[in-house]
Structure formats: structure tokens, C-alpha cells
Amino acid sequence: MPMDRTTGELLGAATRHSGPRCVALGLVSVAATGAALLLPAALGRALDLVLTHSPATRWVLCCAALALLLTLLDACETVLGGTLDARTTAFLRRRVTGHVLTVGPRATARFGAGDLVARVVGSAAQAGTAPGARAALLAALAGPVGAVAALALIDPWLAVVLLTGAPVLTLLLRSLARDTSACVADYQRAQGRIAAALTEAVGGARTIRAAGTAARDTARILRPLPELSRAGRRMWRVQGRAAAQATAVAPLLHLAVVAVAGLLLTRHRLSPGDVLAASRYAVLATGVGVLVGQLSGLVRSRTAATRLGEVLTEPAPPYGDRRLPRDGPGRLELRGVTARRGDRTVLDGVDLVIPGGTTLALVGRSGAGKSLLAALAGRLTDPDAGEVLLDGVPLPALPRAELRAAIAQAFDRPALLGTTIEDTVSLGLASPARVREAARTACADDFVRRLPDGWATPCAAAPHSGGEAQRLGLARAFAHGGRLLVLDDALSSLDTITERQVTRSVFGRTTTATRLVVAHRASTAARADTVAWLDGGRVRAVGTHEQLWRTAGYRAVFGTAAEAGAGAQAGAQAGARTEAEAGPEARR
């Protein structure tokens, strides 16, 4: 069955990863086939000796030894096959998971989180059987070939009779491979759609419960189920039809071989033992049922590997080898940046400069491109045109490690990764002392210390609200450090008092990092050194909050005129409080 280059390379790498086990499984399978081919000959010889009243003990013991050897080899084959499948599956999951994380949000945007999970879990498990299926198929092919050769040694006419059905069996197996491949592909695609819808529903379980739409969403999740059922039934029909055809052809060939052997027996060209051996070899040679099963398994594993290969074809972002200036202030610059999502241009030729050590708030209506611009600044995605520079160096020109060390980021819904709360803040990169200091800056230290096991509390067992989760995300960003801090709506779930305490650190002079903040509140924008107003995919204006407030369109971003006026007053007061708290040095 033809494979695309990516799939072939992936399966080749997986096979090389477990090369010794593949070789061992192949040798054990071939040895088992060899023992199975020797057994009929030994049985025939023992029968001839018994019928002639000659000593047959040695050949009977030989038959028993071959039967015992077959049992041992079968056990070894089962153990080797199981460990090989598990090892290969683990390799494929690591490979695909690593690539997905390297590609970043673009992989999720293309395939969807649920479909990616289905591929990494289900498709990888099926594709992991490919090396073992290859070895088993080799042994399954060796059996009929060896049986035909053995029949030729007993009498050439026996082999000729058997080979008359070879073209029919070949066409049968070829048709099986083609039809099974199409059915399995449809089946796995339907599985992916169900997984994607289920993941989306699990993430929005509270919304579904609150809206009372459980029945409708259940129907939406299971909508591909009829297609899944049709593909599954079609797959079983294909395999059942192949097995039925094999069942019809194989006994006829077997009977033909036995009939010719009987005729040769009457002419004294064969002994009774030869007839017995020929009958057994005919069974081995026409064992298409084994081939059908092995070939079907190989087709399923290759189809699953193709789905993994589709993920690997998504290109990973390139990295360079340039270095940031040692004493760079963290100046961020966007030059002619254009970014599209599907057919829509979200950002169109954006030019923006954030001087090092200053704070810029991004303001705009929903859909203006604020989060996308923040993602571009942190290189979570790349622009379709233009470039983003940090201290004069384009982000793609930086090595991965240096880029990630230079930029810290926090989001509106931070993922609490790691085993414990301390793990999720440090991510293995920050010392305990730095984690504690960052938590105090993010106002997270108090509630963490009240948890059952403090910083050692498992993430899954730690009760936390949306605001507490955001504070942990902020603490992670503060602990990370770097010369650029990107906050994508990372203050939205904080209460007013906590927000004021956190923004004192973000907008004050406690850090020298450049700060890019996606702002939805007038009070947040008022504390920034500069505000960039995004409108229609472009930067409509850049200035202080006070300067931009004179424009009605800017005020409208924060709500109605009355609400906006209240927000401006609150923002001005908050800005004055921040300045007073920062001290005389900040007011210079």
C-alpha cells in the first residue's frame, strides 16, 4: 500500500527506534514458521514408521519437541509483540506531542484540540502496531511460501495444483488492502470529529449546564456517530467478504491437493505419511485467514500513521542563532505586520514601537486583534507579512532558548501545568525563593499558604477561583523574568483591590522589563505610559490615556458615554494613586 513520504519516514523512525526488538520478533516469528513447517514432515515420517511396525520413538519425540517449541515461540512472540507495540506507541506519542508543542497554537487552530488528542492517543496506539504487524506479516507470508516449497519436494504436481489458485488469492488480498484502507480512514476521521466536539463540550460544561442545552449538545457531539457506524460496518463487511471468499477458495485448493496426493498414493508414488504431510502443508499454504488478519492490521496501522503524518507536516517555526544585545532595554518594534486568520485580515500593516522599560496598553473593541498582536509580540505565532523585533533583532532570528528566556507571558485563562502549585509557577525554571517573591508580587502567596499542603498542594486538589488562577499565571510570568512581559488580558478576573495591588507592580518601577498589556478597563489603560488604540486591524492612534480620551471613538471602546466617563474618572484617580505610591522618583 503506497504511503506519503512523511508517513514512511515516521514509520521508518519508529521501526529504527525499536530495531533490536523488531529483529527479535521477526526471528522468533520466522522460527515459529519454520517449526510449523517441520512438524508435518515429522508427523508423516512417524506415521510411516508406525504403519511399517518400525521403531518410531525418535520421531514421536521429535514431533513432541516441535509442538513444545511452537508453544514457547508463540509465548515469546506474544511478549515481544506486546512490548514492541507499547514501545513504538510511546515513541510516536512523544514525537507527535513534541511537534505539536513546537508548532504551538497553529496546530490547535488547524486540527482542533479534540482531534489532536484523538490522534495522539488513538491513532498513535494503532500506528504503534505497524512494526510488529510487518514482522508478523513476513512470517505469515513465509508460511505459505514454505508450504508450497515443501509440497514441491514431496511431489511437484502437488505444488502445481496449489499454485493454480494463487492469482485468485493475490487479487483477494489486494482488494482487501485497498478497501480496508478507505474504510479505516473514514472511521478514524469520524472518531476525530467526535473527539473534537467532546473536548469542546467538556471545556464548556458550565455553560452547557447553565443554558440547559445538554440534550442538544449531546446530539451535536454524537452527530458523526451514524457515519462512524457506517464506516465500521463497511470495514467489517470488507473483511468478512474477504474471509468468506478465502473460506470458499482455500478448502477447494486443499481438497484438490489431497485428491492428487491420494491418486499418487494409489500409484505408489507417495506413502501414507507423505499424504498426511501434504494435507498439513496444503492447510498452511491456503491459510489466507491469517494473512487477511495480518494485512488488515497493517492497513489500519498505516492509515493511523497517515493521520499522525498530517500533524507532522504542519511546519514548525524556524529559529536562528543571533543573540540579543547584552544590555538591551527590551525595545519591541512591529514593522508592517499583517496577520490573517482564514480569509480575514485581523492586523493590516501595523507599525508600533514600545520603548524599553515602558508600559504600553493595547486597547480596542472585541475582534480588533489585541490578543493576536500580543501573541505576535511573544512569538506564539508569526505574521504573514512584516516583522517583529526585540532590541533590533527579528524574533525568528533568535535561538529558541534565548527567545523564551527573554519574554514572559501571562494569559486570561492560564493553564496550571505541573504536579504541584510550586511546579506550575516555577515550571522547573525558577528557584523556590524566586517563586515565593513572584507570588507575593502577584498577590498569590497568601491564598497558596492557606491551601492544605501549601506550595506542595497538587494542582488538581487545589481549590482556586478564576482570579486565583490568574494570580498564579501572573506569578509564573514574574518568576520567569526576561526583558519583555506580555499580559494578554491577564488581569480581567482580579477583584478591584487585588488588581490595584498587582498593577502597582506591573505599571510601577519594580521591574525594568518592557510591558505590553491587553487592557479592557479604562483604569488599566490610565496607568500605562502609552496606549495603542487598535481599530479595524490598524493602529488608529498612540498616546497617553488622557490624550486619547478626548476622542469619542476611544471613549466608546470602554462602553457608553456615561459609563466611559465614570471609567475615566476612576482611571485618573487610580493613576494618581499609583504615582503617589511609586514616590517622587516615578513622578520625574
Side-chain angles (χ1 to χ4, degrees):
M1 184 182 64
M3 293 185 295
D4 61 86
R5 180 179 178 181
T6 303
T7 303
E9 291 176 352
L10 178 63
L11 289 180
T15 302
R16 290 191 297 273
H17 176 71
S18 300
R21 282 181 171 80
C22 289
V23 172
L25 179 60
L27 292 176
V28 169
S29 299
V30 171
T33 301
L37 290 172
L38 289 174
L39 184 57
L43 287 171
R45 181 59 177 163
L47 177 62
D48 285 339
L49 291 175
V50 169
L51 292 177
T52 59
H53 304 287
S54 301
T57 304
R58 186 175 61 179
W59 285 101
V60 171
L61 291 176
C62 180
C63 292
L66 286 173
L68 178 61
L69 179 61
L70 279 171
T71 302
L72 294 175
L73 290 175
D74 182 67
C76 291
E77 192 173 356
T78 300
V79 173
L80 281 173
T83 56
L84 175 60
D85 291 350
R87 182 180 174 85
T88 306
T89 299
F91 169 81
L92 293 173
R93 285 175 175 162
R94 284 195 300 268
R95 179 81 170 265
V96 176
T97 301
H99 186 76
V100 167
L101 296 179
T102 300
V103 172
R106 192 170 64 244
T108 306
R110 176 181 171 185
F111 297 100
D115 189 38
L116 283 175
V117 171
R119 292 174 192 246
V120 172
V121 176
S123 296
Q126 287 188 324
T129 63
R134 284 177 174 175
L137 183 62
L138 177 65
L141 288 171
V145 172
V148 171
L151 286 174
L153 291 176
I154 295 174
D155 192 283
W157 281 108
L158 299 177
V160 170
V161 170
L162 189 64
L163 289 176
T164 57
V168 176
L169 296 177
T170 301
L171 291 175
L172 173 64
L173 294 175
R174 183 177 178 180
S175 174
L176 172 68
R178 182 186 65 251
D179 296 341
T180 301
S181 179
C183 298
V184 170
D186 293 341
Y187 189 86
Q188 292 178 351
R189 280 194 293 269
Q191 277 185 322
R193 286 197 292 275
I194 292 176
L198 179 59
T199 301
E200 181 185 75
V202 170
R206 289 188 301 175
T207 302
I208 293 172
R209 180 68 179 271
T213 59
R216 187 176 65 188
D217 282 283
T218 300
R220 178 179 59 85
I221 294 168
L222 299 180
R223 190 171 297 141
L225 199 57
E227 181 182 350
L228 183 74
S229 177
R230 285 193 298 271
R233 287 198 301 268
R234 189 163 62 250
M235 182 168 59
W236 289 114
R237 280 199 301 269
V238 167
Q239 296 184 19
R241 184 170 60 249
Q245 292 170 346
T247 303
V249 174
L252 293 177
L253 292 175
H254 184 206
L255 288 174
V257 170
V258 172
V260 172
L263 180 62
L264 295 175
L265 174 65
T266 60
R267 296 181 179 181
H268 304 290
R269 290 177 54 179
L270 296 180
S271 67
D274 291 334
V275 175
L276 174 63
S279 176
R280 298 298 306 162
Y281 284 131
V283 171
L284 290 175
T286 57
V288 183
V290 177
L291 281 174
V292 167
Q294 297 295 346
L295 187 59
S296 298
L298 184 59
V299 169
R300 287 194 296 271
S301 64
R302 287 189 170 187
T303 304
T306 300
R307 284 174 56 79
L308 298 180
E310 291 173 356
V311 178
L312 296 179
T313 56
E314 187 68 23
Y319 293 90
D321 55 4
R322 291 182 60 180
R323 299 289 175 178
L324 289 169
R326 182 180 298 274
D327 299 321
R331 172 188 168 95
L332 181 68
E333 184 177 0
L334 284 75
R335 297 178 180 173
V337 167
T338 296
R340 303 180 184 89
R341 288 297 177 264
D343 298 331
R344 177 174 171 247
T345 299
V346 182
L347 297 175
D348 188 7
V350 172
D351 293 302
L352 187 63
V353 176
I354 309 177
T358 65
T359 302
L360 181 137
L362 283 176
V363 170
R365 292 185 181 276
S366 178
K370 302 183 298 298
S371 291
L372 180 55
L373 194 151
L376 290 168
R379 214 202 167 194
L380 298 180
T381 187
D382 289 326
D384 295 291
E387 58 181 353
V388 183
L389 301 93
L390 181 61
D391 284 330
V393 181
L395 296 187
L398 293 170
R400 182 204 302 267
E402 183 159 359
L403 172 69
R404 293 306 162 205
I407 303 175
Q409 302 177 76
F411 309 97
D412 58 338
R413 296 180 181 178
L416 300 183
L417 309 171
T419 306
T420 64
I421 294 295
E422 183 165 5
D423 288 340
T424 200
V425 174
S426 70
L427 291 182
L429 303 175
S431 65
R434 190 180 182 96
V435 167
R436 304 306 191 272
E437 180 184 356
R440 286 191 291 271
T441 303
C443 300
D445 187 60
D446 287 342
F447 86 81
V448 170
R449 285 191 284 106
R450 290 195 300 268
L451 292 174
D453 296 308
W455 286 98
T457 302
C459 290
H464 46 260
S465 65
E468 290 169 340
Q470 277 196 347
R471 279 184 272 171
L472 290 175
L474 287 166
R476 179 192 298 157
F478 294 153
H480 180 281
R483 62 182 72 189
L484 174 63
L485 176 62
V486 180
L487 303 182
D488 183 4
D489 203 16
L491 310 174
S492 59
S493 296
L494 302 183
D495 59 83
T496 304
I497 296 175
T498 304
E499 182 195 8
R500 185 177 64 197
Q501 294 172 336
V502 173
T503 52
R504 185 187 308 164
S505 300
V506 173
F507 296 101
R509 295 296 183 264
T510 58
T511 177
T512 59
T514 303
R515 287 137 290 172
L516 175 63
V517 181
V518 174
H520 292 277
R521 299 174 182 173
S523 58
T524 305
R527 292 184 175 97
D529 297 317
T530 313
V531 176
W533 175 17
L534 288 180
D535 186 27
R538 296 177 178 271
V539 177
R540 184 166 174 178
V542 177
T544 65
H545 176 71
E546 183 180 359
Q547 292 169 342
L548 297 179
W549 191 259
R550 302 187 185 104
T551 305
Y554 178 79
R555 293 196 303 270
V557 170
F558 299 100
T560 65
E563 292 169 342
Q569 183 179 3
Q573 291 173 354
R577 284 196 301 270
T578 301
E579 185 177 349
E581 292 161 349
E585 181 181 350
R587 293 196 294 271
R588 289 183 193 138

